[in-house]
Amino acid sequence: MIYWLFLLMAIVTEVIGTLSMKYASETGSIYGHIIMYFMITLSYILLSVSIKRVALGVAYALWEGIGVLLITISSVMIFGEDISLAKASGLAILLLGIVLIKSGMQKKGNNAVKSSSSLMDKDEYHATA
């Protein structure tokens, strides 16, 4: 459970870092760049911690997918960017993909995991026979 919190924090820091990049590019503020560098670095560190227990493909897909969704919504609200029907449709499809990826995860005690470990045991048996 703690690793999912690390992933959530990685997503939040990525969003803050990316929004800081936009802020820095519009204002020329050095503080925006400092926040951007710090938050994006922290985001990668937190992501690397989260993948100790969360599958890499799932963690990265959620990190990027939810990040894009939140960055787009935030940029519309904070910076007044436009959102077209095509962009809104793409975000809806992205959200559906996130839900499908999350729902497709296997639990550790699942039969598929047990089957693959049984196959490894058989391979080891054949290797020694």
Side-chain angles (χ1 to χ4, degrees), residues 16 20 22 26-28 30 45 58 71-72 74 76 83-84 93 112 116:
I16 293 169
S20 298
K22 174 73 173 181
E26 286 188 352
T27 64
I30 189 71
I45 291 168
V58 172
I71 289 165
T72 303
S74 298
V76 168
I83 186 159
S84 65
I93 293 168
S116 67

Side-chain angles (χ1 to χ4, degrees), residues 14 60-73 83 86-102:
E14 178 206 14
Y60 188 75
L62 293 175
W63 180 70
E64 276 299 318
I66 294 171
V68 166
L69 186 66
L70 292 175
I71 289 165
T72 303
I73 292 168
I83 186 159
K87 190 185 273 189
S89 299
L91 291 174
I93 293 168
L94 176 66
L95 188 57
L96 177 63
I98 291 168
V99 170
L100 290 173
I101 288 170
K102 180 72 173 96

Side-chain angles (χ1 to χ4, degrees), residues 4-88:
W4 287 101
L5 292 174
F6 282 119
L7 180 58
L8 177 64
M9 290 186 298
I11 293 167
V12 170
T13 54
E14 178 206 14
V15 171
I16 293 169
T18 304
L19 292 174
S20 298
M21 182 187 330
K22 174 73 173 181
Y23 172 78
S25 71
E26 286 188 352
T27 64
S29 169
I30 189 71
Y31 299 112
H33 284 100
I34 292 169
I35 293 169
M36 175 193 70
Y37 292 131
F38 178 76
M39 288 296 178
I40 290 177
T41 301
L42 183 58
S43 178
Y44 275 98
I45 291 168
L46 291 166
L47 179 63
S48 70
V49 171
S50 75
I51 62 171
K52 288 181 180 182
R53 292 280 190 247
V54 179
L56 176 60
V58 172
Y60 188 75
L62 293 175
W63 180 70
E64 276 299 318
I66 294 171
V68 166
L69 186 66
L70 292 175
I71 289 165
T72 303
I73 292 168
S74 298
S75 65
V76 168
M77 293 171 48
I78 296 170
F79 299 110
E81 293 184 0
D82 294 330
I83 186 159
S84 65
L85 180 60
K87 190 185 273 189

